[in-house]
Amino acid sequence: MTLRTVLLSLQSLLSSAEPDDPQDAVVAKQYKEDPLCYKRTAKHWAVVYAQAQVSKQDDLSDLDAKIQQLKGMGFTESQARVALSSKNWNVEAAVESLFS
């Protein structure tokens, strides 16, 4: 397998979502059941980990507030972000998952 083949395969995977054969079941479920939440979560992760810019129409301050709320309960930022994003940003469901 050549580098060119690998890169073409990677490009293909990134350009066409396969929610019925996912690499991450939580993300695929969110993609299929709540596309708006999926897009906001993807934007949030891009801002946090890829220094993406947020436009005024993509205000994500409510997501940051929820992370801060969980941090105030003693969880790390990483724990809060993962729990919230996997529970569609529902604070109660995220807290329940963190305690179980």
Side-chain angles (χ1 to χ4, degrees):
M1 190 177 287
T2 66
L3 179 58
R4 183 176 189 280
T5 306
V6 171
L7 292 175
L8 286 172
S9 296
L10 184 58
Q11 179 186 23
S12 174
L13 283 171
L14 291 173
S15 64
S16 61
E18 291 291 339
D20 295 323
D21 185 21
Q23 297 295 315
D24 186 327
V26 172
V27 174
K29 181 179 179 193
Q30 193 176 67
Y31 178 84
K32 290 170 74 174
E33 294 178 2
D34 192 348
L36 178 60
C37 184
Y38 166 82
K39 287 179 183 177
R40 293 191 77 222
T41 300
K43 286 178 186 178
H44 174 78
W45 285 86
V47 167
V48 171
Y49 293 107
Q51 290 78 44
Q53 299 299 313
V54 180
S55 66
K56 290 181 181 180
Q57 70 189 35
D58 294 327
D59 182 24
L60 303 174
S61 61
D62 60 318
L63 305 184
D64 292 327
K66 291 177 181 186
I67 290 170
Q68 294 306 315
Q69 185 178 351
L70 265 62
K71 281 180 65 179
M73 295 177 187
F75 299 106
T76 67
E77 185 169 336
S78 177
Q79 288 173 317
R81 181 173 289 110
V82 169
L84 284 163
S85 64
S86 68
K87 297 297 180 184
N88 292 349
W89 298 91
N90 180 305
V91 173
E92 292 79 19
V95 169
E96 186 176 313
S97 76
L98 287 164
F99 281 123
S100 62

Coordinates of all heavy atoms in Angstrom, one line a residue:
M1 N 0.8 -1.2 0.0 CA 0.0 0.0 0.0 C 0.9 1.2 0.0 O 1.8 1.4 0.8 CB -0.9 0.0 1.2 CG -2.0 1.0 1.2 SD -3.1 1.0 2.6 CE -4.1 -0.4 2.2
T2 N 0.6 2.1 -0.9 CA 1.4 3.4 -1.0 C 0.8 4.5 -0.2 O -0.3 4.4 0.2 CB 1.5 3.8 -2.5 OG1 0.2 4.2 -2.9 CG2 2.1 2.7 -3.4
L3 N 1.6 5.5 0.1 CA 1.2 6.7 0.8 C 0.0 7.3 0.1 O -1.0 7.7 0.7 CB 2.3 7.7 1.0 CG 1.9 9.0 1.7 CD1 1.4 8.6 3.1 CD2 3.1 9.9 1.8
R4 N 0.1 7.3 -1.2 CA -1.0 7.9 -2.1 C -2.3 7.1 -1.8 O -3.4 7.7 -1.6 CB -0.7 7.9 -3.5 CG -1.7 8.5 -4.4 CD -1.2 8.5 -5.9 NE -2.1 9.3 -6.8 CZ -3.2 8.9 -7.2 NH1 -3.7 7.7 -7.0 NH2 -4.0 9.6 -8.0
T5 N -2.3 5.8 -1.8 CA -3.4 5.0 -1.5 C -4.0 5.3 -0.2 O -5.2 5.4 0.0 CB -3.1 3.5 -1.7 OG1 -2.5 3.3 -2.9 CG2 -4.3 2.6 -1.5
V6 N -3.2 5.4 0.8 CA -3.6 5.6 2.2 C -4.3 7.0 2.3 O -5.4 7.1 2.9 CB -2.4 5.6 3.2 CG1 -2.8 6.1 4.6 CG2 -1.9 4.2 3.3
L7 N -3.7 8.0 1.7 CA -4.3 9.3 1.7 C -5.6 9.4 1.0 O -6.5 10.1 1.4 CB -3.3 10.4 1.1 CG -2.0 10.6 2.0 CD1 -1.1 11.5 1.3 CD2 -2.4 11.1 3.4
L8 N -5.7 8.7 -0.2 CA -7.0 8.6 -0.9 C -8.1 7.9 -0.1 O -9.2 8.4 0.0 CB -6.8 8.0 -2.2 CG -6.1 8.8 -3.3 CD1 -5.8 7.9 -4.5 CD2 -6.9 10.0 -3.7
S9 N -7.7 6.9 0.6 CA -8.6 6.2 1.5 C -9.1 7.1 2.6 O -10.3 7.1 3.0 CB -8.0 4.9 2.1 OG -7.7 4.0 1.0
L10 N -8.2 7.8 3.2 CA -8.5 8.7 4.3 C -9.4 9.8 3.8 O -10.4 10.1 4.5 CB -7.2 9.3 4.9 CG -7.4 10.2 6.1 CD1 -8.1 9.5 7.2 CD2 -6.0 10.7 6.5
Q11 N -9.1 10.4 2.6 CA -10.0 11.4 2.1 C -11.4 10.9 1.8 O -12.4 11.6 2.1 CB -9.4 11.9 0.8 CG -10.2 13.0 0.1 CD -9.7 13.4 -1.3 OE1 -9.0 12.6 -1.9 NE2 -10.0 14.6 -1.7
S12 N -11.5 9.7 1.4 CA -12.8 9.1 1.1 C -13.6 8.9 2.4 O -14.8 9.2 2.5 CB -12.6 7.7 0.4 OG -13.9 7.1 0.3
L13 N -12.9 8.4 3.5 CA -13.6 8.3 4.8 C -14.1 9.6 5.3 O -15.1 9.7 5.9 CB -12.6 7.6 5.8 CG -12.4 6.1 5.6 CD1 -11.3 5.6 6.5 CD2 -13.7 5.4 5.9
L14 N -13.2 10.6 5.2 CA -13.6 11.9 5.7 C -14.7 12.7 4.9 O -15.4 13.5 5.5 CB -12.3 12.8 5.8 CG -11.3 12.4 6.8 CD1 -10.0 13.2 6.7 CD2 -11.9 12.5 8.2
S15 N -14.8 12.4 3.7 CA -15.7 13.1 2.8 C -17.1 12.5 2.8 O -18.1 13.1 2.4 CB -15.2 13.2 1.4 OG -15.1 11.9 0.8
S16 N -17.3 11.2 3.2 CA -18.6 10.6 3.2 C -18.8 9.9 4.5 O -18.2 8.9 4.9 CB -18.7 9.6 2.1 OG -17.8 8.6 2.2
A17 N -19.8 10.4 5.3 CA -20.1 9.8 6.6 C -20.8 8.5 6.4 O -21.6 8.3 5.5 CB -21.0 10.8 7.4
E18 N -20.5 7.6 7.2 CA -21.1 6.2 7.2 C -21.7 5.9 8.6 O -21.2 5.1 9.3 CB -20.1 5.2 6.8 CG -19.6 5.2 5.4 CD -20.6 4.9 4.4 OE1 -21.6 4.2 4.7 OE2 -20.5 5.3 3.2
P19 N -22.8 6.5 8.9 CA -23.4 6.3 10.2 C -23.9 4.9 10.5 O -24.1 4.6 11.7 CB -24.5 7.3 10.3 CG -24.9 7.6 8.9 CD -23.6 7.4 8.1
D20 N -24.1 4.1 9.5 CA -24.5 2.8 9.7 C -23.3 1.8 9.9 O -23.5 0.6 10.2 CB -25.4 2.3 8.5 CG -26.7 3.1 8.4 OD1 -27.2 3.4 9.5 OD2 -27.1 3.4 7.3
D21 N -22.1 2.3 9.7 CA -20.9 1.5 9.9 C -19.9 2.5 10.6 O -18.9 2.8 10.0 CB -20.4 1.0 8.6 CG -19.2 0.1 8.8 OD1 -19.0 -0.5 9.9 OD2 -18.4 -0.1 7.8
P22 N -20.2 2.9 11.8 CA -19.4 4.0 12.4 C -18.1 3.5 13.0 O -17.9 2.4 13.4 CB -20.3 4.5 13.5 CG -21.1 3.3 13.9 CD -21.3 2.5 12.7
Q23 N -17.2 4.5 13.1 CA -15.9 4.3 13.9 C -16.2 4.6 15.4 O -15.6 4.1 16.3 CB -14.8 5.3 13.4 CG -14.4 5.0 12.0 CD -13.8 3.7 11.8 OE1 -12.9 3.3 12.6 NE2 -14.2 2.9 10.8
D24 N -17.2 5.5 15.6 CA -17.6 5.9 17.0 C -19.2 5.9 17.0 O -19.8 6.7 16.4 CB -17.1 7.3 17.3 CG -17.4 7.8 18.7 OD1 -18.4 7.4 19.3 OD2 -16.6 8.5 19.2
A25 N -19.7 4.9 17.8 CA -21.2 4.7 17.8 C -21.9 5.9 18.4 O -23.0 6.2 17.9 CB -21.5 3.4 18.6
V26 N -21.3 6.6 19.4 CA -22.0 7.7 20.0 C -22.2 8.8 19.0 O -23.2 9.4 18.9 CB -21.2 8.2 21.3 CG1 -21.8 9.5 21.8 CG2 -21.2 7.1 22.3
V27 N -21.1 9.1 18.3 CA -21.1 10.2 17.2 C -22.1 9.8 16.1 O -22.9 10.7 15.7 CB -19.7 10.5 16.7 CG1 -19.8 11.5 15.5 CG2 -18.8 11.0 17.8
A28 N -22.1 8.6 15.7 CA -23.0 8.1 14.6 C -24.5 8.3 15.1 O -25.3 8.7 14.3 CB -22.7 6.7 14.2
K29 N -24.8 7.9 16.3 CA -26.1 8.0 16.8 C -26.6 9.5 16.9 O -27.7 9.8 16.4 CB -26.2 7.4 18.2 CG -27.6 7.5 18.8 CD -27.6 6.9 20.2 CE -29.0 7.0 20.8 NZ -29.0 6.7 22.2
Q30 N -25.7 10.4 17.3 CA -26.0 11.8 17.4 C -26.2 12.3 15.9 O -27.1 13.1 15.7 CB -24.8 12.5 18.1 CG -25.1 13.9 18.5 CD -24.0 14.6 19.2 OE1 -22.9 14.8 18.7 NE2 -24.2 14.8 20.5
Y31 N -25.3 11.9 15.0 CA -25.4 12.3 13.6 C -26.8 12.0 13.0 O -27.4 12.8 12.3 CB -24.3 11.7 12.8 CG -24.3 12.0 11.3 CD1 -23.7 13.1 10.9 CD2 -24.9 11.1 10.4 CE1 -23.7 13.4 9.5 CE2 -24.8 11.4 9.1 CZ -24.2 12.5 8.6 OH -24.2 12.8 7.3
K32 N -27.3 10.8 13.3 CA -28.5 10.3 12.8 C -29.8 10.9 13.5 O -30.8 11.2 12.9 CB -28.6 8.8 12.8 CG -27.6 8.1 11.9 CD -27.5 6.6 12.1 CE -28.7 5.9 11.6 NZ -28.5 4.4 11.7
E33 N -29.7 11.0 14.8 CA -30.9 11.4 15.6 C -31.0 12.9 15.9 O -32.1 13.3 16.1 CB -30.9 10.6 16.9 CG -31.0 9.1 16.7 CD -31.0 8.3 18.0 OE1 -30.8 8.9 19.1 OE2 -31.1 7.1 18.0
D34 N -29.9 13.6 15.9 CA -30.0 15.0 16.3 C -28.9 15.8 15.5 O -27.8 16.1 16.1 CB -29.8 15.2 17.8 CG -30.1 16.6 18.2 OD1 -30.3 17.5 17.4 OD2 -30.2 16.8 19.5
P35 N -29.1 16.0 14.2 CA -28.0 16.6 13.3 C -27.6 18.0 13.8 O -26.4 18.3 13.7 CB -28.7 16.7 12.0 CG -29.8 15.8 12.0 CD -30.3 15.6 13.4
L36 N -28.5 18.8 14.4 CA -28.1 20.1 14.9 C -27.1 19.9 16.0 O -26.1 20.6 16.1 CB -29.3 20.9 15.3 CG -29.0 22.3 15.9 CD1 -28.3 23.1 14.8 CD2 -30.3 22.9 16.3
C37 N -27.4 19.1 17.0 CA -26.5 18.8 18.1 C -25.2 18.3 17.6 O -24.1 18.7 18.1 CB -27.2 17.9 19.1 SG -26.2 17.6 20.6
Y38 N -25.2 17.4 16.6 CA -24.0 16.8 16.0 C -23.1 18.0 15.5 O -21.9 18.0 15.7 CB -24.4 15.8 14.9 CG -23.2 15.5 14.1 CD1 -22.3 14.5 14.5 CD2 -23.0 16.1 12.8 CE1 -21.2 14.2 13.7 CE2 -21.9 15.8 12.0 CZ -21.0 14.8 12.5 OH -19.9 14.5 11.7
K39 N -23.7 18.9 14.7 CA -22.9 20.0 14.1 C -22.4 20.9 15.2 O -21.2 21.3 15.1 CB -23.8 20.8 13.2 CG -24.1 20.0 11.9 CD -25.0 20.8 11.0 CE -25.3 20.0 9.7 NZ -26.2 20.7 8.8
R40 N -23.2 21.2 16.2 CA -22.7 22.1 17.3 C -21.6 21.4 18.1 O -20.6 22.1 18.5 CB -23.8 22.5 18.2 CG -24.9 23.4 17.5 CD -25.8 24.0 18.5 NE -25.2 25.1 19.2 CZ -25.3 25.3 20.5 NH1 -26.0 24.6 21.2 NH2 -24.6 26.4 21.0
T41 N -21.7 20.1 18.3 CA -20.7 19.4 19.0 C -19.4 19.4 18.2 O -18.3 19.6 18.7 CB -21.1 18.0 19.3 OG1 -22.3 18.0 20.1 CG2 -20.0 17.2 20.1
A42 N -19.5 19.1 16.9 CA -18.3 19.1 16.0 C -17.6 20.5 16.0 O -16.4 20.5 16.1 CB -18.7 18.7 14.6
K43 N -18.4 21.5 16.0 CA -17.8 22.9 16.0 C -17.1 23.1 17.3 O -16.0 23.7 17.4 CB -18.9 23.9 15.8 CG -19.4 24.0 14.4 CD -20.5 25.0 14.2 CE -21.0 24.9 12.7 NZ -22.1 25.8 12.5
H44 N -17.7 22.7 18.4 CA -17.1 22.9 19.7 C -15.8 22.1 19.8 O -14.8 22.7 20.2 CB -18.1 22.3 20.8 CG -17.4 22.4 22.2 ND1 -17.3 23.5 22.9 CD2 -16.9 21.4 22.9 CE1 -16.7 23.2 24.1 NE2 -16.4 22.0 24.1
W45 N -15.7 20.9 19.4 CA -14.5 20.1 19.4 C -13.4 20.8 18.5 O -12.3 20.8 18.8 CB -14.7 18.7 19.0 CG -15.4 17.9 20.1 CD1 -16.7 17.8 20.4 CD2 -14.8 17.1 21.1 NE1 -17.0 17.0 21.5 CE2 -15.8 16.6 22.0 CE3 -13.4 16.8 21.4 CZ2 -15.5 15.7 23.0 CZ3 -13.2 16.0 22.5 CH2 -14.2 15.5 23.3
A46 N -13.9 21.3 17.4 CA -12.9 22.0 16.4 C -12.3 23.2 17.1 O -11.1 23.5 16.9 CB -13.6 22.3 15.1
V47 N -13.2 24.0 17.8 CA -12.7 25.2 18.5 C -11.7 24.8 19.5 O -10.6 25.4 19.7 CB -13.9 26.0 19.1 CG1 -13.4 27.0 20.0 CG2 -14.7 26.6 17.9
V48 N -12.0 23.8 20.3 CA -11.2 23.4 21.5 C -9.8 22.8 21.0 O -8.8 23.1 21.5 CB -11.9 22.4 22.4 CG1 -11.0 21.8 23.4 CG2 -13.1 23.1 23.0
Y49 N -9.9 21.9 20.0 CA -8.7 21.1 19.7 C -8.0 21.5 18.4 O -6.9 21.1 18.2 CB -9.1 19.6 19.6 CG -9.4 19.1 21.0 CD1 -10.7 18.8 21.3 CD2 -8.4 19.0 22.0 CE1 -11.0 18.3 22.6 CE2 -8.8 18.5 23.3 CZ -10.1 18.2 23.6 OH -10.4 17.8 24.8
A50 N -8.7 22.3 17.6 CA -8.0 22.7 16.3 C -8.0 24.2 16.2 O -7.7 24.8 15.1 CB -8.8 22.1 15.1
Q51 N -8.3 25.0 17.2 CA -8.3 26.4 17.2 C -9.1 27.0 16.1 O -8.7 28.0 15.5 CB -6.8 27.0 17.2 CG -6.1 26.7 18.5 CD -5.5 25.3 18.6 OE1 -5.0 24.7 17.7 NE2 -5.7 24.7 19.8
A52 N -10.2 26.4 15.8 CA -11.1 26.9 14.8 C -11.8 28.2 15.3 O -11.9 28.4 16.5 CB -12.2 25.9 14.4
Q53 N -12.2 29.0 14.4 CA -12.8 30.3 14.7 C -14.3 30.1 14.8 O -14.9 29.3 14.0 CB -12.5 31.3 13.7 CG -11.0 31.7 13.6 CD -10.4 32.2 14.9 OE1 -11.0 33.1 15.5 NE2 -9.3 31.6 15.3
V54 N -15.0 30.7 15.7 CA -16.4 30.7 15.9 C -17.0 31.9 15.3 O -16.6 33.0 15.7 CB -16.8 30.5 17.4 CG1 -18.3 30.4 17.5 CG2 -16.1 29.3 17.9
S55 N -18.0 31.8 14.5 CA -18.7 33.0 14.0 C -19.8 33.4 15.0 O -20.1 32.6 15.8 CB -19.3 32.7 12.6 OG -20.3 31.7 12.7
K56 N -20.3 34.6 14.8 CA -21.4 35.0 15.7 C -22.6 34.1 15.7 O -23.3 33.9 16.7 CB -21.7 36.5 15.4 CG -20.6 37.4 15.8 CD -21.0 38.9 15.5 CE -19.8 39.8 15.9 NZ -20.1 41.2 15.6
Q57 N -22.9 33.6 14.5 CA -24.1 32.7 14.4 C -23.8 31.4 15.0 O -24.8 30.6 15.3 CB -24.4 32.6 12.9 CG -23.4 31.7 12.1 CD -23.7 31.8 10.6 OE1 -24.2 32.8 10.1 NE2 -23.5 30.7 10.0
D58 N -22.6 31.0 15.3 CA -22.3 29.7 15.9 C -21.9 29.9 17.4 O -21.0 29.3 17.9 CB -21.1 29.1 15.2 CG -21.4 28.7 13.8 OD1 -22.6 28.3 13.5 OD2 -20.5 28.7 12.9
D59 N -22.7 30.7 18.1 CA -22.4 30.9 19.5 C -22.4 29.6 20.3 O -23.5 28.9 20.3 CB -23.4 31.9 20.1 CG -23.1 32.2 21.5 OD1 -22.0 32.1 22.0 OD2 -24.1 32.6 22.2
L60 N -21.3 29.2 20.9 CA -21.2 28.0 21.6 C -21.1 28.3 23.1 O -20.7 27.4 23.9 CB -20.0 27.2 21.1 CG -20.0 26.8 19.6 CD1 -18.7 26.2 19.3 CD2 -21.2 26.0 19.3
S61 N -21.4 29.5 23.6 CA -21.2 29.9 25.0 C -22.0 29.0 25.9 O -21.6 28.8 27.1 CB -21.5 31.3 25.2 OG -22.8 31.7 24.8
D62 N -23.2 28.6 25.5 CA -24.0 27.7 26.3 C -23.3 26.4 26.6 O -23.4 25.8 27.7 CB -25.4 27.5 25.7 CG -25.4 26.8 24.4 OD1 -24.5 27.2 23.6 OD2 -26.2 25.9 24.1
L63 N -22.6 25.8 25.6 CA -21.9 24.6 25.8 C -20.7 24.8 26.8 O -20.5 24.0 27.7 CB -21.3 24.1 24.5 CG -22.3 23.9 23.4 CD1 -21.6 23.2 22.2 CD2 -23.5 23.0 23.8
D64 N -20.0 25.9 26.7 CA -19.0 26.3 27.6 C -19.5 26.4 29.1 O -18.9 26.0 30.0 CB -18.2 27.5 27.2 CG -17.4 27.3 25.9 OD1 -16.9 26.2 25.7 OD2 -17.3 28.2 25.1
A65 N -20.7 27.0 29.2 CA -21.3 27.2 30.5 C -21.6 25.9 31.2 O -21.5 25.7 32.4 CB -22.6 28.1 30.4
K66 N -22.1 24.9 30.3 CA -22.4 23.6 30.9 C -21.1 22.9 31.3 O -21.1 22.2 32.4 CB -23.1 22.8 29.8 CG -24.5 23.3 29.6 CD -25.2 22.5 28.5 CE -26.6 23.1 28.3 NZ -27.4 22.3 27.4
I67 N -20.0 23.1 30.6 CA -18.7 22.5 31.0 C -18.3 23.1 32.4 O -17.9 22.4 33.3 CB -17.7 22.7 30.0 CG1 -18.0 21.8 28.7 CG2 -16.3 22.4 30.5 CD1 -17.1 22.1 27.5
Q68 N -18.5 24.4 32.5 CA -18.1 25.1 33.7 C -19.0 24.6 34.9 O -18.5 24.5 36.0 CB -18.2 26.6 33.6 CG -17.2 27.2 32.6 CD -15.8 26.8 32.9 OE1 -15.3 26.9 34.1 NE2 -15.0 26.4 31.9
Q69 N -20.2 24.4 34.6 CA -21.1 23.9 35.6 C -20.6 22.5 36.2 O -20.6 22.3 37.4 CB -22.5 23.7 35.1 CG -23.6 23.3 36.1 CD -25.0 23.2 35.4 OE1 -25.2 23.6 34.3 NE2 -25.9 22.7 36.2
L70 N -20.2 21.6 35.3 CA -19.7 20.3 35.8 C -18.3 20.5 36.4 O -18.1 19.8 37.4 CB -19.6 19.3 34.6 CG -20.9 18.4 34.5 CD1 -22.1 19.2 34.2 CD2 -20.6 17.4 33.4
K71 N -17.5 21.4 35.9 CA -16.2 21.7 36.6 C -16.5 22.1 38.0 O -15.7 21.8 38.9 CB -15.4 22.7 35.8 CG -14.7 22.1 34.6 CD -13.9 23.2 33.9 CE -12.8 23.7 34.7 NZ -12.0 24.7 34.0
G72 N -17.5 22.9 38.2 CA -17.9 23.4 39.6 C -18.3 22.3 40.5 O -18.3 22.4 41.7
M73 N -18.7 21.1 39.9 CA -19.0 19.9 40.7 C -17.8 19.1 41.0 O -17.9 18.0 41.7 CB -20.1 19.1 40.0 CG -21.4 19.8 39.8 SD -22.5 18.7 38.8 CE -23.8 19.8 38.5
G74 N -16.6 19.5 40.5 CA -15.4 18.8 40.8 C -14.9 17.9 39.7 O -13.9 17.2 39.9
F75 N -15.5 17.9 38.6 CA -15.0 17.1 37.4 C -14.0 17.9 36.6 O -14.1 19.1 36.6 CB -16.2 16.7 36.5 CG -17.2 15.8 37.2 CD1 -18.5 16.4 37.6 CD2 -17.0 14.5 37.5 CE1 -19.4 15.6 38.2 CE2 -17.9 13.7 38.2 CZ -19.1 14.3 38.5
T76 N -13.1 17.2 36.0 CA -12.1 17.9 35.1 C -12.8 18.4 33.9 O -13.9 17.9 33.5 CB -11.0 17.0 34.7 OG1 -11.5 16.0 33.8 CG2 -10.3 16.4 35.9
E77 N -12.2 19.4 33.2 CA -12.8 19.9 32.0 C -12.9 18.8 30.9 O -13.9 18.7 30.2 CB -11.9 21.0 31.4 CG -12.5 21.7 30.2 CD -11.7 23.0 29.9 OE1 -11.1 23.6 30.7 OE2 -11.8 23.3 28.7
S78 N -11.9 17.9 30.9 CA -12.0 16.8 29.9 C -13.1 15.9 30.2 O -13.9 15.5 29.3 CB -10.7 16.1 29.9 OG -10.7 15.0 29.0
Q79 N -13.3 15.5 31.5 CA -14.4 14.6 31.9 C -15.7 15.3 31.5 O -16.7 14.6 31.0 CB -14.4 14.3 33.4 CG -13.3 13.4 33.8 CD -13.2 13.4 35.3 OE1 -13.3 14.4 36.0 NE2 -13.0 12.1 35.8
A80 N -15.9 16.6 31.8 CA -17.1 17.3 31.6 C -17.4 17.3 30.1 O -18.6 17.0 29.7 CB -17.0 18.7 32.1
R81 N -16.4 17.6 29.3 CA -16.6 17.8 27.8 C -17.0 16.4 27.2 O -18.0 16.4 26.4 CB -15.4 18.3 27.2 CG -15.5 18.5 25.7 CD -14.3 19.1 25.0 NE -14.2 20.5 25.4 CZ -13.3 21.1 26.3 NH1 -12.4 20.3 26.7 NH2 -13.4 22.3 26.6
V82 N -16.4 15.4 27.6 CA -16.7 14.0 27.0 C -18.1 13.6 27.5 O -18.9 13.1 26.6 CB -15.6 13.0 27.4 CG1 -16.1 11.6 27.1 CG2 -14.3 13.3 26.8
A83 N -18.4 13.7 28.7 CA -19.7 13.3 29.2 C -20.8 14.1 28.6 O -21.8 13.6 28.1 CB -19.8 13.4 30.7
L84 N -20.7 15.4 28.5 CA -21.7 16.3 27.9 C -21.9 16.0 26.5 O -23.0 15.9 26.0 CB -21.4 17.8 28.2 CG -21.6 18.3 29.6 CD1 -20.9 19.6 29.8 CD2 -23.1 18.4 29.9
S85 N -20.8 15.9 25.7 CA -20.9 15.7 24.3 C -21.5 14.3 24.0 O -22.3 14.2 23.0 CB -19.6 15.9 23.6 OG -18.7 15.0 23.9
S86 N -21.3 13.4 24.8 CA -21.8 12.0 24.5 C -23.3 11.9 25.0 O -24.0 11.0 24.6 CB -21.0 11.0 25.2 OG -21.1 11.0 26.6
K87 N -23.7 12.9 25.8 CA -25.1 12.9 26.3 C -25.9 14.1 25.7 O -26.8 14.6 26.3 CB -25.2 12.9 27.8 CG -24.6 11.7 28.5 CD -25.3 10.5 28.1 CE -24.7 9.3 28.8 NZ -25.3 8.0 28.4
N88 N -25.5 14.5 24.5 CA -26.2 15.6 23.7 C -26.3 16.8 24.6 O -27.3 17.6 24.5 CB -27.6 15.1 23.3 CG -27.5 14.1 22.2 OD1 -26.5 13.8 21.6 ND2 -28.7 13.5 21.9
W89 N -25.3 17.1 25.4 CA -25.2 18.3 26.2 C -26.3 18.5 27.2 O -26.6 19.5 27.7 CB -25.1 19.6 25.3 CG -23.9 19.5 24.4 CD1 -23.8 18.9 23.2 CD2 -22.5 19.8 24.8 NE1 -22.5 18.9 22.7 CE2 -21.7 19.5 23.7 CE3 -22.0 20.4 25.9 CZ2 -20.3 19.7 23.7 CZ3 -20.6 20.6 25.9 CH2 -19.8 20.3 24.9
N90 N -26.8 17.3 27.7 CA -27.8 17.3 28.7 C -27.0 17.1 30.0 O -26.4 16.1 30.3 CB -28.8 16.1 28.5 CG -29.8 16.0 29.6 OD1 -29.5 15.9 30.8 ND2 -31.0 16.0 29.2
V91 N -27.1 18.2 30.9 CA -26.3 18.2 32.1 C -26.6 17.1 33.1 O -25.8 16.4 33.6 CB -26.4 19.6 32.8 CG1 -25.7 19.6 34.2 CG2 -25.9 20.7 32.0
E92 N -27.9 16.8 33.2 CA -28.4 15.8 34.2 C -27.9 14.4 33.7 O -27.4 13.6 34.5 CB -29.9 15.8 34.3 CG -30.5 17.0 35.0 CD -30.6 18.3 34.1 OE1 -30.5 18.1 32.9 OE2 -30.6 19.4 34.7
A93 N -28.0 14.1 32.4 CA -27.6 12.8 31.9 C -26.1 12.7 32.0 O -25.6 11.6 32.3 CB -28.1 12.7 30.4
A94 N -25.4 13.8 31.7 CA -23.9 13.8 31.8 C -23.5 13.5 33.3 O -22.6 12.7 33.5 CB -23.3 15.1 31.3
V95 N -24.1 14.1 34.2 CA -23.7 13.9 35.6 C -24.0 12.5 36.0 O -23.2 11.8 36.7 CB -24.5 14.9 36.6 CG1 -24.3 14.5 38.0 CG2 -24.0 16.3 36.3
E96 N -25.2 12.0 35.6 CA -25.5 10.6 35.9 C -24.5 9.6 35.3 O -24.1 8.7 36.0 CB -26.9 10.3 35.3 CG -27.4 8.9 35.7 CD -28.8 8.7 35.2 OE1 -29.7 9.6 35.4 OE2 -29.1 7.6 34.6
S97 N -24.0 9.9 34.1 CA -23.0 9.0 33.5 C -21.7 9.1 34.2 O -20.9 8.1 34.3 CB -22.9 9.3 32.0 OG -22.1 10.5 31.8
L98 N -21.3 10.3 34.7 CA -20.1 10.5 35.4 C -20.1 9.8 36.8 O -19.1 9.3 37.2 CB -19.8 11.9 35.6 CG -19.3 12.7 34.3 CD1 -19.4 14.2 34.5 CD2 -17.9 12.3 34.0
F99 N -21.2 9.7 37.4 CA -21.3 9.0 38.7 C -21.6 7.5 38.6 O -21.5 6.8 39.6 CB -22.4 9.7 39.6 CG -22.0 10.9 40.2 CD1 -22.7 12.1 40.0 CD2 -20.9 11.0 41.0 CE1 -22.3 13.3 40.6 CE2 -20.5 12.2 41.6 CZ -21.2 13.3 41.4
S100 N -21.9 7.0 37.4 CA -22.2 5.6 37.3 C -21.0 4.8 36.9 O -20.0 5.3 36.5 CB -23.3 5.3 36.3 OG -23.0 5.8 35.0

